[in-house]
Each structure stands twice: as structure tokens, then as C-alpha cells.
Amino acid sequence: MTTQDDDRNTVDVFSNSLRQHGQSFRALNWGSEEGQANRFRILCEIGLSDGDSVLDVGCGLGDLYAHLQSQGVAASYTGLDITPDMISTARQRFPDAEFREGSLLGTVEPSLAQVDYVLASGIFYLRRDRPFEHLQASVRRMFELCRKGLAFNCLSSWAGTASSDEYREDPAQCLEFCRTVSPWAVLRHDYHSGDFTIYLRREAMRL
Ligand SMILES: C[S@@+](CC[C@H](N)C(=O)[O-])C[C@H]1O[C@@H](n2cnc3c(N)ncnc32)[C@H](O)[C@@H]1O
């Protein structure tokens, strides 16, 4: 399994899933709509607010855009996804939002560079080829793109019920790596036993 195989597998899995389930949280492989929304809520708690620009990496069907609207957050939104069918469906659903097709680790067009926040929900669990190295490269890229900070989630190896071959990471090891990118790092393992979120800021929070 190579990085290219992983990318191809990701596109295959989500294209098939969209064909099978249609425009539903099931197409994104979430267990429930509440679980998906809960993760959005935690990501946004990094401090996303009115007037901020946000890049949603692995945007899927653009549900984070709908979430922001439902919460009344007037952020300028762009979604990026490696799966072409996800992007074309997201564009049909939300004609007013910006969507781009592509991989985070591919060539990112200049207009996507320098947004306030980069958020990513559910983009790591299918990786097979050196998944921690892939996560590290992804975090470095997200940090390059953000002015204020980034937030991402990942399945946690602290969960007692690991059974599938999905990629789970040790949250402490992940935090240790993230601290080498920015000292302003937060680990959250307080919303789901099998999942953690990390915030990385460019500057310390003003208290
Ligand atoms: C589990 S789905 C989550 C979608 C969305 N974030 C949500 O929560 O509704 C993961 C999505 O990330 C996309 N993806 C995975 N790795 C990616 C990468 N490196 N660059 C861009 N998109 C990626 C997949 O194509 C898929 O649509």
C-alpha cells in the first residue's frame, strides 16, 4: 500500500458510499447525524467566529457549511475534497459556497492559502500507508495554510473497543508531535471515548 493507493482507496470508498447512501451522513461513514454535528461543534470551538475564513479539508458533502449556517456563524467557507463526486454533490447542495476538488497534500491553489482557520473532520481513519507520517504531513500543511489556527480529529487508540482495521492514533503521541509545530496546542478527549481533537494556534489565546 502506497500513499497513492491510499488516495485512490479513499476516493473509491467515498464514491461508492455516496452511490449507495445518497446525500446522507451514512455516505460519510458517520454513525449518526448527531455524531457528525458534535464533531463539527468541537472543531468550531477552537474559536471560529463571525468574519473568519475557514477551509474545510475533507469537506465531503459540505455539511460543515450547513452547520455554520444553522449556528448563525457568518464565516467565509471553502470546502476541499479529494473525492470528485463529493465535490460535485456539495456544489449542487450549496451553490453559494466555494468548493474545490483536490488533496490537502497536492497543489493547493493560492486562493486557499491563508485562511483564518483550517478544520478537518474524519480524514485520517482510512489511511494504511505510514498513517502517522501522513497525519504529520497533513498537520504541517494545514498549519502553513492558516492565519489563526487549525483543528482536526482522529480516532483514538485510548478507546477500549478497537476492533476494526481503521487507523487509530495515540493522542499523547499526536500531541507531542503537534507541539513541535506550535507550542499553543490543545488536546480534547472529552466528547467521545473513541475520538480526539487537537487545536493548534499560531498565538496564545488572550485570557
Ligand atoms: C469521513 S468523510 C467526512 C466528511 C466531512 N468532513 C464531514 O464530517 O461530514 C472524509 C472525507 O475526507 C475526504 N478526504 C480524505 N482525505 C483527504 C485529503 N487528504 N484531502 C482532501 N480530502 C480528503 C474524503 O474524500 C471524504 O469525503
Side-chain angles (χ1 to χ4, degrees):
M1 184 64 93
T2 66
T3 298
Q4 288 75 24
D5 291 337
D6 264 344
D7 286 348
R8 265 194 297 273
N9 180 52
T10 297
V11 172
D12 286 350
V13 166
F14 287 106
S15 304
N16 291 336
S17 189
L18 182 58
R19 220 168 291 130
Q20 189 182 350
H21 298 292
Q23 294 177 30
S24 153
F25 63 89
R26 290 194 179 82
L28 288 327
N29 215 359
W30 291 122
S32 70
E33 224 163 37
E34 292 71 30
Q36 180 193 37
N38 202 20
R39 288 172 176 89
F40 290 155
R41 187 172 58 74
I42 300 294
L43 290 176
C44 292
E45 284 180 9
I46 188 173
L48 187 70
S49 49
D50 289 346
D52 284 330
S53 53
V54 56
L55 176 64
D56 178 15
V57 175
C59 63
L61 295 170
D63 290 303
L64 177 60
Y65 176 71
H67 177 83
L68 293 173
Q69 289 201 314
S70 73
Q71 300 303 302
V73 180
S76 151
Y77 173 95
T78 304
L80 173 74
D81 205 289
I82 195 173
T83 304
D85 291 349
M86 286 290 173
I87 289 296
S88 55
T89 308
R91 284 188 177 128
Q92 284 165 21
R93 290 180 84 198
F94 305 112
D96 294 339
E98 289 290 324
F99 292 100
R100 300 279 189 279
E101 183 188 312
S103 162
L104 172 66
L105 296 182
T107 309
V108 173
E109 61 179 84
S111 69
L112 297 187
Q114 297 308 307
V115 291
D116 292 315
Y117 289 104
V118 181
L119 308 182
S121 188
I123 70 167
F124 295 123
Y125 74 100
L126 288 178
R127 301 309 291 196
R128 299 279 178 276
D129 177 46
R130 294 164 293 153
F132 190 45
E133 282 88 336
H134 173 79
L135 182 150
Q136 290 173 316
S138 299
V139 169
R140 286 196 189 96
R141 169 58 64 88
M142 290 192 279
F143 198 69
E144 281 167 12
L145 298 176
C146 72
R147 271 190 293 256
K148 294 183 178 174
L150 66 87
F152 66 92
N153 56 37
C154 182
L155 296 182
S156 170
S157 66
W158 291 355
T161 54
S163 56
S164 69
D165 57 357
E166 293 170 344
Y167 165 53
R168 292 175 180 273
E169 187 47 74
D170 176 358
Q173 173 171 277
C174 198
L175 181 64
E176 198 54 42
F177 158 71
C178 286
R179 288 178 53 224
T180 67
V181 178
S182 167
W184 314 114
V186 176
L187 168 64
R188 290 196 61 170
H189 209 302
D190 60 346
Y191 60 94
H192 190 291
S193 61
D195 203 288
F196 68 94
T197 290
I198 287 183
Y199 304 150
L200 265 189
R201 301 180 204 287
R202 285 207 168 265
E203 295 178 0
M205 276 183 78
R206 293 209 187 103
L207 297 177

